[in-house]
Coordinates of all heavy atoms in Angstrom, one line a residue:
R163 N 51.0 -37.2 -15.3 CA 51.6 -38.5 -14.9 C 50.6 -39.6 -15.4 O 49.4 -39.6 -14.9 CB 51.9 -38.6 -13.5 CG 53.0 -37.6 -13.0 CD 53.2 -37.8 -11.4 NE 53.4 -38.9 -10.9 CZ 54.6 -39.5 -10.7 NH1 55.7 -38.8 -11.2 NH2 54.7 -40.7 -10.3
D164 N 51.0 -40.5 -16.1 CA 50.3 -41.6 -16.6 C 50.7 -42.9 -15.9 O 50.0 -43.9 -16.0 CB 50.3 -41.9 -18.2 CG 49.7 -40.6 -18.9 OD1 48.8 -40.0 -18.4 OD2 50.3 -40.2 -19.9
E165 N 51.7 -42.8 -15.2 CA 52.3 -44.1 -14.5 C 52.1 -43.8 -13.0 O 51.6 -42.9 -12.5 CB 53.6 -44.3 -14.9 CG 53.8 -44.6 -16.6 CD 55.0 -45.0 -16.9 OE1 56.0 -44.8 -16.0 OE2 55.2 -45.2 -18.1
G166 N 52.9 -44.8 -12.3 CA 52.8 -44.7 -10.8 C 51.8 -45.7 -10.3 O 51.1 -46.3 -11.0
R167 N 51.9 -46.0 -9.0 CA 51.1 -47.0 -8.4 C 49.6 -46.6 -8.4 O 49.3 -45.5 -8.2 CB 51.5 -47.3 -7.0 CG 51.6 -46.1 -6.0 CD 52.2 -46.6 -4.8 NE 52.5 -45.3 -4.0 CZ 51.6 -45.0 -2.9 NH1 50.6 -45.7 -2.6 NH2 52.0 -44.0 -2.2
A168 N 48.8 -47.6 -8.8 CA 47.4 -47.4 -9.0 C 46.8 -47.1 -7.5 O 47.3 -47.6 -6.5 CB 46.6 -48.5 -9.7
R169 N 45.7 -46.4 -7.5 CA 44.9 -46.2 -6.2 C 44.4 -47.5 -5.8 O 43.9 -48.4 -6.6 CB 43.8 -45.1 -6.4 CG 44.3 -43.7 -6.3 CD 43.1 -42.8 -6.6 NE 42.1 -43.1 -5.6 CZ 41.9 -42.4 -4.5 NH1 42.8 -41.6 -4.1 NH2 40.9 -42.8 -3.6
W170 N 44.1 -47.7 -4.4 CA 43.6 -48.9 -3.9 C 42.3 -49.3 -4.4 O 41.9 -50.5 -4.4 CB 43.7 -48.8 -2.3 CG 42.7 -47.7 -1.9 CD1 42.8 -46.4 -2.0 CD2 41.4 -47.9 -1.3 NE1 41.7 -45.8 -1.5 CE2 40.8 -46.7 -1.1 CE3 40.7 -49.0 -0.9 CZ2 39.6 -46.6 -0.5 CZ3 39.6 -49.0 -0.3 CH2 38.9 -47.8 -0.1
D171 N 41.5 -48.2 -4.7 CA 40.0 -48.4 -5.0 C 39.9 -48.3 -6.5 O 38.7 -48.5 -6.9 CB 39.1 -47.4 -4.3 CG 39.6 -46.0 -4.5 OD1 40.5 -45.7 -5.3 OD2 38.9 -45.0 -4.0
G172 N 40.8 -48.2 -7.4 CA 40.8 -48.0 -8.8 C 40.3 -46.7 -9.3 O 40.1 -46.6 -10.5
L173 N 39.9 -45.8 -8.4 CA 39.3 -44.4 -8.8 C 40.5 -43.6 -9.5 O 41.6 -43.6 -9.2 CB 39.0 -43.7 -7.5 CG 38.2 -42.4 -7.6 CD1 36.9 -42.5 -8.4 CD2 38.1 -41.7 -6.4
D174 N 40.0 -43.0 -10.5 CA 40.8 -42.1 -11.3 C 40.5 -40.7 -10.9 O 39.3 -40.2 -11.3 CB 40.8 -42.2 -12.8 CG 41.6 -41.4 -13.6 OD1 42.4 -40.5 -13.0 OD2 41.6 -41.4 -14.8
L175 N 41.2 -40.0 -10.0 CA 40.8 -38.7 -9.5 C 40.9 -37.7 -10.7 O 40.1 -36.6 -10.6 CB 41.8 -38.3 -8.5 CG 41.7 -39.0 -7.0 CD1 42.8 -38.6 -6.2 CD2 40.4 -38.8 -6.4
R176 N 41.5 -37.9 -11.7 CA 41.6 -37.0 -12.8 C 40.2 -36.9 -13.4 O 39.9 -35.9 -14.1 CB 42.7 -37.3 -13.8 CG 44.0 -37.3 -13.4 CD 45.1 -38.0 -14.3 NE 44.8 -39.4 -14.6 CZ 45.4 -40.1 -15.3 NH1 46.5 -39.7 -16.0 NH2 45.0 -41.4 -15.5
A177 N 39.4 -37.9 -13.3 CA 38.1 -37.9 -14.0 C 37.0 -37.1 -13.3 O 36.0 -36.7 -13.8 CB 37.5 -39.3 -14.0
F178 N 37.3 -36.7 -12.0 CA 36.4 -35.9 -11.3 C 36.5 -34.4 -11.7 O 37.6 -33.8 -11.7 CB 36.7 -36.0 -9.7 CG 35.9 -35.1 -8.9 CD1 34.4 -35.3 -8.7 CD2 36.4 -33.9 -8.5 CE1 33.7 -34.4 -8.0 CE2 35.7 -33.0 -7.7 CZ 34.3 -33.2 -7.5
T179 N 35.4 -33.8 -11.9 CA 35.3 -32.4 -12.1 C 34.2 -31.8 -11.1 O 33.3 -32.5 -10.9 CB 34.8 -32.0 -13.6 OG1 33.7 -32.6 -13.9 CG2 35.9 -32.6 -14.6
G180 N 34.4 -30.6 -10.8 CA 33.5 -30.0 -9.9 C 34.3 -29.3 -8.7 O 35.5 -29.2 -8.9
T181 N 33.6 -28.9 -7.7 CA 34.2 -28.3 -6.5 C 34.6 -29.3 -5.4 O 34.2 -30.5 -5.4 CB 33.3 -27.2 -6.0 OG1 32.2 -27.9 -5.4 CG2 32.9 -26.2 -7.0
Y182 N 35.5 -28.9 -4.6 CA 35.8 -29.8 -3.5 C 34.5 -30.1 -2.7 O 34.3 -31.2 -2.4 CB 36.8 -29.2 -2.5 CG 37.1 -30.2 -1.3 CD1 37.6 -31.4 -1.6 CD2 36.8 -29.7 -0.1 CE1 37.8 -32.3 -0.5 CE2 37.0 -30.6 1.0 CZ 37.5 -31.9 0.7 OH 37.7 -32.8 1.8
G183 N 33.7 -29.1 -2.5 CA 32.4 -29.4 -1.8 C 31.6 -30.5 -2.4 O 31.0 -31.4 -1.8
D184 N 31.5 -30.5 -3.8 CA 31.0 -31.6 -4.5 C 31.5 -33.0 -4.2 O 30.8 -33.9 -4.0 CB 31.0 -31.4 -6.0 CG 30.2 -30.2 -6.5 OD1 29.2 -29.8 -5.8 OD2 30.6 -29.5 -7.6
Y185 N 32.8 -33.0 -4.2 CA 33.5 -34.4 -3.9 C 33.4 -34.7 -2.5 O 32.9 -35.9 -2.3 CB 35.1 -34.0 -4.2 CG 35.8 -35.2 -4.0 CD1 36.0 -36.3 -5.0 CD2 36.5 -35.6 -2.9 CE1 36.7 -37.3 -5.0 CE2 37.4 -36.6 -2.7 CZ 37.5 -37.6 -3.7 OH 38.2 -38.8 -3.6
L186 N 33.4 -33.8 -1.5 CA 33.2 -34.2 -0.2 C 31.8 -34.7 0.2 O 31.6 -35.7 0.9 CB 33.6 -33.0 0.8 CG 33.6 -33.2 2.2 CD1 34.4 -34.3 2.7 CD2 33.8 -31.9 2.9
L187 N 30.8 -34.0 -0.4 CA 29.4 -34.4 -0.2 C 29.2 -35.9 -0.7 O 28.5 -36.6 0.0 CB 28.4 -33.5 -0.9 CG 28.3 -32.1 -0.1 CD1 27.2 -31.3 -1.0 CD2 27.7 -32.4 1.3
A188 N 29.7 -36.1 -1.9 CA 29.5 -37.4 -2.4 C 30.2 -38.5 -1.6 O 29.6 -39.6 -1.4 CB 30.0 -37.5 -4.0
K189 N 31.3 -38.2 -1.0 CA 32.0 -39.2 -0.1 C 31.3 -39.4 1.1 O 31.0 -40.5 1.6 CB 33.4 -38.7 0.0 CG 34.3 -38.7 -1.2 CD 34.6 -40.3 -1.4 CE 35.6 -40.4 -2.5 NZ 36.0 -41.8 -2.8
V190 N 30.9 -38.2 1.8 CA 30.3 -38.4 3.1 C 29.0 -39.0 3.1 O 28.5 -39.7 4.0 CB 30.2 -36.9 3.8 CG1 29.5 -37.0 5.2 CG2 31.6 -36.5 4.1
A191 N 28.1 -38.8 2.0 CA 26.9 -39.5 1.8 C 27.0 -40.9 1.8 O 25.9 -41.7 2.3 CB 26.1 -38.8 0.6
K192 N 28.1 -41.5 1.4 CA 28.3 -42.9 1.5 C 28.6 -43.4 2.8 O 28.4 -44.5 3.2 CB 29.4 -43.4 0.5 CG 29.0 -43.1 -1.0 CD 30.1 -43.5 -2.0 CE 29.8 -43.4 -3.3 NZ 30.8 -43.8 -4.3
V193 N 29.3 -42.4 3.7 CA 29.5 -42.8 5.0 C 28.4 -42.9 5.9 O 28.3 -43.9 6.8 CB 30.7 -41.9 5.6 CG1 30.9 -42.1 7.0 CG2 31.9 -41.9 4.8
F194 N 27.4 -42.0 5.7 CA 26.1 -42.0 6.4 C 25.0 -42.0 5.4 O 24.4 -41.0 5.1 CB 26.0 -40.9 7.4 CG 27.0 -40.8 8.4 CD1 28.1 -40.0 8.4 CD2 26.8 -41.5 9.6 CE1 29.2 -40.0 9.4 CE2 27.8 -41.5 10.6 CZ 29.0 -40.8 10.5
P195 N 24.7 -43.2 4.7 CA 23.7 -43.1 3.6 C 22.3 -42.6 4.1 O 21.7 -42.0 3.4 CB 23.6 -44.5 3.1 CG 24.4 -45.3 4.2 CD 25.3 -44.4 4.9
R196 N 21.9 -43.1 5.3 CA 20.5 -42.7 5.6 C 20.3 -41.2 6.0 O 19.4 -40.6 5.7 CB 20.0 -43.5 6.8 CG 19.4 -44.9 6.3 CD 18.9 -45.7 7.5 NE 20.0 -46.4 8.3 CZ 19.8 -47.1 9.3 NH1 18.5 -47.5 9.7 NH2 20.6 -47.6 10.0
L197 N 21.4 -40.8 6.6 CA 21.5 -39.3 7.0 C 21.5 -38.5 5.6 O 20.9 -37.5 5.5 CB 22.6 -39.0 7.9 CG 22.7 -37.5 8.4 CD1 21.4 -37.2 9.2 CD2 23.9 -37.4 9.2

């Protein structure tokens, strides 16, 4: 699908490659940057 409403943050999820663990770690590290 190339159409449809854009994500609120402009992120293109199709561009992410890797495992779910990789994705989750990158996200959670932004939630608790010092930890």
Side-chain angles (χ1 to χ4, degrees):
R163 292 171 58 88
D164 295 323
E165 299 179 357
R167 57 191 170 98
R169 279 179 56 91
W170 67 286
D171 55 3
L173 182 67
D174 182 0
L175 290 173
R176 294 171 299 180
F178 171 77
T179 58
T181 66
Y182 177 63
D184 296 331
Y185 184 79
L186 183 58
L187 285 179
K189 290 290 188 178
V190 175
K192 293 181 179 179
V193 174
F194 294 101
R196 280 187 282 184
L197 187 59

